[in-house]
Amino acid sequence: MRSNYSFWIAIGLLCFYTFTICDSVLASEKNKDIALIYVTSSKQPNIDVLALQDMLENFTSVDVLSIEDVNEQLLQSYKRLVVMNNYPTRIPPGALSAINQFSGSAILIGENVFQFSPFSKWKEGPVVELRAIGGEVLNNPIKWKSVIPSGDFEIVERATSLNKTYPFIVQKNNWSFIGDFINKDTLQYQWPAIMGELLQISKPQIHPAFIVLSDINMNTDMQKLKKLVLEFSAKKIPIALEVAPIVVDESDKRSYYLHENKKLLSYLQKLQKEGYAFILSSSNSTEKNLEYLVLRKIYPTISQGDSSLFTSIIQKDSQQLFITQSEDNHTIYPITAGSMAETYSFYPVKQKINLLLKVPSSIIGIQYPAYFNASYVQELAAYLREHPQIELLNLRQTKQQVTSKNVSIKQHENGEQTIQLAFTKIERLKILFDERPFELILWVLVLIVSLFVTLFFISTLRLRITLRKRLFEERKTNG
């Protein structure tokens, strides 16, 4: 009897476990939102597919699928569909049937449009040179194979050639068509809002923003930097300081070290204690530059440029518009609004920010060189206050980690840092020798001379004491 009782308990537990697993699997399936299906000649996602993935992931979850892997059962777990056709080909029948039966919001981009049932009544148009999409003028004309939609589709946006317009974005019920994904010029700032509207996804309006004081090195004027920091502090705008501790002059092949500007080094150490975020800029050995700074009690938690030592990087000259995670798990903070010093005016940065505000949830990264005039801080602060959707990001209050052979820095979201250094005395001496060889040699010579002088003094003193003692004993013996 007891055996049967145990048997039914085991069966019950097994059923409960199976139900729980199934429930969690179903829940994870329900969480799937967008299937981004690509059709490429290489059967691999290209740069446009990756750019679109990056864009859509700022709205919701995205799975990237090859057209060869698509079937009806696979698509049942998705709410939305985007098909990126990058070259003309015959769509596999199973994938074509699955996409035609899809009932959620769907966008078809580019080639192969006539093979899909919602667009089967369309006609092929002439190949034209596009000069504008909607109100966005292209810097260079783009050749495009135009289409003639059936009358039951609504034209959302037109493209313009030299003297004629063509339907470029059209929509009917839950299906939409985009002629081509031209992700350049000012169009890259229009696509996120267009995609969000066509896919019926809510658009987050908050824009995180950060400001980097860049180009800080041995040649930086400490007073000018101090004035800049005080101006931003007075306006309650958080800033991060990008420091290049070792600068190599290519003309004379000499390295210039931050400690050669003692006032600047002392001021940066003060800012570290006050809780400012530091970014490491290095054109040569990242680890050497990192160790140089931490030995002087300055702890950078972000790197300018890719580095395996840092979990986060600041990226300049990037096409990224959002905070993103790279394949190697780097958090990328792109400089999206450019530099204040490009034309010695706030206007170009202001125009770039205006474009970024059209992109839902885009990040606004501003570079403000340390040698630049502080007079633009007030204008920048006033502009930021005019836009409540801009939220200033304090990089010191983000989770960061830096790990090298001798250095471990953990930055917590409350701004605290946990520092662990593992330098041996020999390593410290070697670093000191690499930075100041002549000074170290001079000190060694001084120590050697001092040691010889000390030994000579001790030897002379000992000899005098011995001679006095001997003289005293001889006098005592001779009476």
Side-chain angles (χ1 to χ4, degrees), residues 142-276:
I142 299 291
K143 281 193 175 182
W144 176 61
K145 190 187 296 182
S146 64
V147 294
I148 303 172
S150 55
D152 53 347
F153 274 81
E154 175 191 356
I155 299 174
V156 178
E157 199 70 80
R158 289 182 173 272
T160 307
S161 65
L162 189 61
N163 53 12
K164 194 173 180 182
T165 64
Y166 303 88
F168 191 77
I169 302 176
V170 295
Q171 186 176 28
K172 178 186 175 182
N173 301 327
N174 62 315
W175 275 95
S176 304
F177 169 78
I178 297 175
D180 196 3
F181 185 65
I182 304 169
N183 192 36
K184 59 182 181 178
D185 304 334
T186 55
L187 264 175
Q188 64 177 314
Y189 302 99
Q190 308 297 327
W191 285 126
I194 291 171
M195 295 288 180
E197 188 170 342
L198 294 178
L199 292 171
Q200 301 176 29
I201 306 175
S202 59
K203 298 178 287 187
Q205 296 300 323
I206 298 302
H207 296 266
F210 66 93
I211 298 169
V212 175
L213 294 193
S214 64
D215 300 272
I216 301 173
N217 53 57
M218 188 273 290
N219 296 313
T220 299
D221 185 326
M222 189 277 285
Q223 291 299 332
K224 185 173 281 190
L225 174 64
K226 186 175 182 179
K227 187 175 181 182
L228 260 179
V229 172
L230 289 174
E231 284 284 338
F232 278 109
S233 178
K235 302 292 185 297
K236 298 187 178 181
I237 297 176
I239 54 174
L241 298 100
E242 181 193 312
V243 180
I246 307 171
V247 179
V248 179
D249 192 324
E250 294 297 333
S251 59
D252 60 9
K253 302 300 180 183
R254 183 191 162 189
S255 296
Y256 293 87
Y257 293 87
L258 190 64
H259 67 260
E260 295 175 41
N261 189 335
K262 293 181 180 178
K263 289 184 179 179
L264 175 63
L265 177 59
S266 178
Y267 181 61
L268 293 176
Q269 290 169 336
K270 176 177 176 289
L271 294 180
Q272 168 69 46
K273 290 179 181 177
E274 291 177 0
Y276 283 84

Side-chain angles (χ1 to χ4, degrees), residues 404-437:
S404 73
K405 176 187 172 185
N406 294 316
V407 177
S408 173
I409 305 171
K410 287 185 179 179
Q411 180 175 286
H412 310 282
E413 292 176 347
N414 61 1
E416 292 182 3
Q417 292 179 338
T418 304
I419 316 295
Q420 291 182 338
L421 306 181
F423 296 99
T424 64
K425 290 182 179 179
I426 294 175
E427 285 173 329
R428 289 175 185 267
L429 193 62
K430 185 179 180 299
I431 292 168
L432 185 63
F433 181 78
D434 289 340
E435 295 170 12
R436 296 177 281 183

Side-chain angles (χ1 to χ4, degrees), residues 66 112 146 214 289:
S66 172
N112 310 314
S146 64
S214 64
N289 282 262

Side-chain angles (χ1 to χ4, degrees), residues 1-13:
M1 188 72 178
R2 183 177 296 176
S3 176
N4 289 338
Y5 185 69
S6 301
F7 172 76
W8 287 111
I9 289 178
I11 292 294
L13 288 172

Side-chain angles (χ1 to χ4, degrees), residues 339-367:
S339 172
M340 293 290 293
E342 285 177 355
T343 57
Y344 290 89
S345 166
F346 175 59
Y347 182 74
V349 173
K350 181 179 177 180
Q351 292 297 98
K352 204 70 174 287
I353 296 175
N354 287 338
L355 288 171
L356 289 164
L357 291 175
K358 296 179 180 180
V359 182
S361 74
S362 64
I363 187 168
I364 299 170
I366 303 169
Q367 182 183 345

